[in-house]
Amino acid sequence: MSFYDESLKHQLEELKQNSNYRHFIELSKESDHFPHAITAQEHIPENVMVCCSLDYLGMGHHPKVVSAAIETVKKAGVSSGGSRNLSGTCYQHVELEKELADFHQRDSALVLNSGYLANQVAVSVLGSRFEDCIIFSDELNHASIIEGVRASRSDKVIYKHNDVSDLELKLSAVEHERPKIVIFESIYSMEGDIAPVRELLICAKKYGALTILNEVHAIGIFGEGGRGIANDIESQYQPDLIIGSLSKGIGAFGGYLTGSKTLVDSIRSFGYGLIFTSSLPPSVCAAALASIRHIRSSNEERERLLSNAAFLTQRLNEENLRVMPSDTHIVPVIVGNSKLCNAISKRLLSEFGIYAVAVNFPTVPWGTERLRLVATARHTKEMIEELVAALKICFAEASLGYSEALHSEDLQLGEA
């Protein structure tokens, strides 16, 4: 084995020893049975219930969405054929971008291959286009935003999570005429908390900052027609750029950004992550378009999702499990120990047929390891009761003492 393999193998072993090694669970998904899926892996029941899906509304399995994808594959084939500049701009891309701009009442929109890429490209381009720019970023912003800030080579200031006063303090310390970007998320995916979006935007605009709002976990779920948290904010405080996802509430694949024609065109023209990447397949764009059009006119899916989240939170609290406060569809349950978190997740899957992924460092800070639960719009009350009952058994037998904050390394159910 070469020096390089040996070195990397050692680093992988360290991940495993710290319970931070990621295991991928292979699922065979069937639209008619979501949130259940089939798995052929050893020591796992054949039929499992997925309780951590990002397809929050179940739109990835909606007949309209599936039909749109199938019909487009028949007509346009599987591939877009290239990057947007090299024959890869299809009719479906243009129609989807028009729909997204109208959806958010903006001048223009741009579709990218993932929400991660949308964040990384937008932040890196805009941060690098203004001389002596400084970026103000929430301390819990997504890894893609952090990568975008690094790639921009701009100065950065990290402000306390959702803390308007801390943001203002740090903005006020910078020359007013210096170019500034403030970027934050409306909903944080590991906490499930909602940012004080209006107050943060008012603060940023007071100091002349360009504002970027990541709405990926809010799109399809919050705001009129699923337009996101910012939808209800007065026009003078609206974010300059909104970044969204096509793979979560919308249930397809990809990401997008929307704003003024100049902002969007600048990212389109200078963003290497768009320029040098093959574009999304036409069928994916058609599926996303069908989903958005349904979501805009239907409240059924989001009402069911939020009702399920409230019911799950209520039942977990009744059982004295350690639920993080959340007003959203994301319901995190604190474990506080990476080995134990992995062990509980493993037992839920192997014994109860419930897939609830463990979230450990570096995704979340040490000592806050958790199960990130989602009861989608397709879960039933009976399914939620099944999940809660299994969690109760696992936590009780792990000696967590339910409401006690025990973080001992001795608390294990076995190797994860």
Side-chain angles (χ1 to χ4, degrees):
M1 185 177 289
S2 71
F3 158 78
Y4 303 102
D5 279 342
E6 285 284 0
S7 178
L8 292 172
K9 183 179 179 182
H10 176 70
Q11 294 173 45
L12 289 170
E13 286 301 320
E14 284 187 341
L15 274 183
K16 292 176 182 177
Q17 289 172 12
N18 293 327
S19 296
N20 292 322
Y21 184 78
R22 289 173 167 83
H23 296 272
F24 294 165
I25 306 300
E26 180 184 341
L27 300 175
S28 178
K29 299 181 179 180
E30 300 180 7
S31 291
D32 292 342
H33 296 98
F34 180 78
H36 286 91
I38 306 298
T39 177
Q41 290 185 233
E42 291 184 14
H43 312 302
I44 297 175
E46 182 180 5
N47 190 296
V48 301
M49 177 170 62
V50 180
C51 294
C52 53
S53 176
L54 299 180
D55 186 3
Y56 300 131
L57 300 174
M59 291 304 298
H61 308 271
H62 195 285
K64 291 181 183 177
V65 177
V66 173
S67 177
I70 291 171
E71 291 304 313
T72 305
V73 166
K74 290 178 179 178
K75 182 186 297 185
V78 174
S79 171
S80 69
S83 66
R84 291 295 295 269
N85 192 52
L86 291 175
S87 80
T89 295
C90 305
Y91 166 81
Q92 290 82 5
H93 296 100
V94 176
E95 286 301 295
L96 177 56
E97 287 169 346
K98 287 179 181 177
E99 185 78 20
L100 287 165
D102 182 70
F103 185 49
H104 288 285
Q105 300 176 317
R106 296 299 196 273
D107 295 333
S108 186
L110 182 67
V111 172
L112 294 97
N113 287 24
S114 70
Y116 188 106
L117 197 62
N119 278 323
Q120 196 273 337
V121 170
V123 178
S124 62
V125 167
L126 294 178
S128 65
R129 288 291 106 189
F130 306 105
E131 186 177 353
D132 199 29
C133 183
I134 182 168
I135 299 176
F136 295 80
S137 179
D138 187 288
E139 66 178 333
L140 293 187
N141 273 342
H142 192 266
S144 56
I145 296 173
I146 295 170
E147 285 300 314
V149 173
R150 287 174 181 162
S152 75
R153 299 185 179 180
S154 298
D155 290 340
K156 66 178 179 182
V157 172
I158 307 301
Y159 66 89
K160 295 176 184 176
H161 178 53
N162 284 344
D163 192 325
V164 180
S165 298
D166 191 51
L167 174 61
E168 178 150 28
L169 180 67
K170 289 171 176 173
L171 281 168
S172 65
V174 178
E175 304 91 330
H176 191 81
E177 63 274 10
R178 185 176 179 184
K180 309 173 194 69
I181 296 173
V182 172
I183 180 163
F184 59 97
E185 304 179 36
S186 61
I187 295 176
Y188 288 82
S189 63
M190 291 301 133
E191 284 70 31
D193 57 340
I194 300 176
V197 175
R198 182 177 183 274
E199 291 78 8
L200 287 167
L201 290 170
I202 290 173
C203 177
K205 290 179 181 293
K206 176 181 176 182
Y207 292 91
L210 181 75
T211 52
I212 303 176
L213 178 63
N214 182 320
E215 290 259 47
V216 297
H217 293 278
I219 298 301
I221 298 153
F222 290 93
E224 182 185 357
R227 291 178 176 87
I229 302 291
N231 180 73
D232 300 326
I233 296 172
E234 306 94 306
S235 59
Q236 66 267 34
Y237 303 128
Q238 282 287 316
D240 297 298
L241 193 73
I242 290 175
I243 295 174
S245 171
L246 300 172
S247 59
K248 296 177 176 62
I250 292 172
F253 182 77
Y256 67 91
L257 50 88
T258 182
S260 71
K261 287 183 179 179
T262 302
L263 274 178
V264 174
D265 195 28
S266 296
I267 296 166
R268 183 191 71 85
S269 299
F270 297 112
Y272 283 4
L274 172 80
I275 295 169
F276 297 105
T277 304
S278 293
S279 61
L280 287 174
S283 58
V284 170
C285 295
L289 182 62
S291 178
I292 293 166
R293 287 175 174 169
H294 176 82
I295 288 168
R296 292 182 73 165
S297 60
S298 171
N299 290 320
E300 179 183 349
E301 290 82 9
R302 56 179 152 269
E303 287 176 356
R304 195 182 310 126
L305 171 67
L306 295 175
S307 174
N308 280 347
F311 181 66
L312 174 58
T313 300
Q314 174 193 325
R315 290 292 296 114
L316 291 170
N317 281 324
E318 288 171 353
E319 298 298 343
N320 294 318
L321 293 165
R322 300 171 61 204
V323 186
M324 292 180 66
S326 171
D327 294 319
T328 70
H329 46 293
I330 298 164
V331 183
V333 176
I334 290 288
V335 178
N337 175 290
S338 59
K339 290 183 179 179
L340 183 58
C341 198
N342 282 348
I344 290 176
S345 175
K346 182 178 179 180
R347 186 180 179 193
L348 283 170
L349 188 58
S350 62
E351 186 173 327
F352 298 96
I354 293 173
Y355 187 17
V357 71
V359 182
N360 297 326
F361 180 85
T363 307
V364 296
W366 290 106
T368 70
E369 292 84 357
R370 68 201 65 171
L371 300 172
R372 180 191 183 277
L373 304 178
V374 176
T376 72
R378 296 278 290 271
H379 280 76
T380 64
K381 293 291 190 293
E382 291 75 19
M383 292 177 190
I384 295 171
E385 290 287 7
E386 180 183 345
L387 168 61
V388 173
L391 283 167
K392 182 178 178 181
I393 292 171
C394 290
F395 273 69
E397 295 184 8
S399 301
L400 270 184
Y402 289 170
S403 57
E404 296 179 21
L406 299 179
H407 294 166
S408 169
E409 287 295 329
D410 295 329
L411 295 175
Q412 299 181 35
L413 291 177
E415 279 302 315

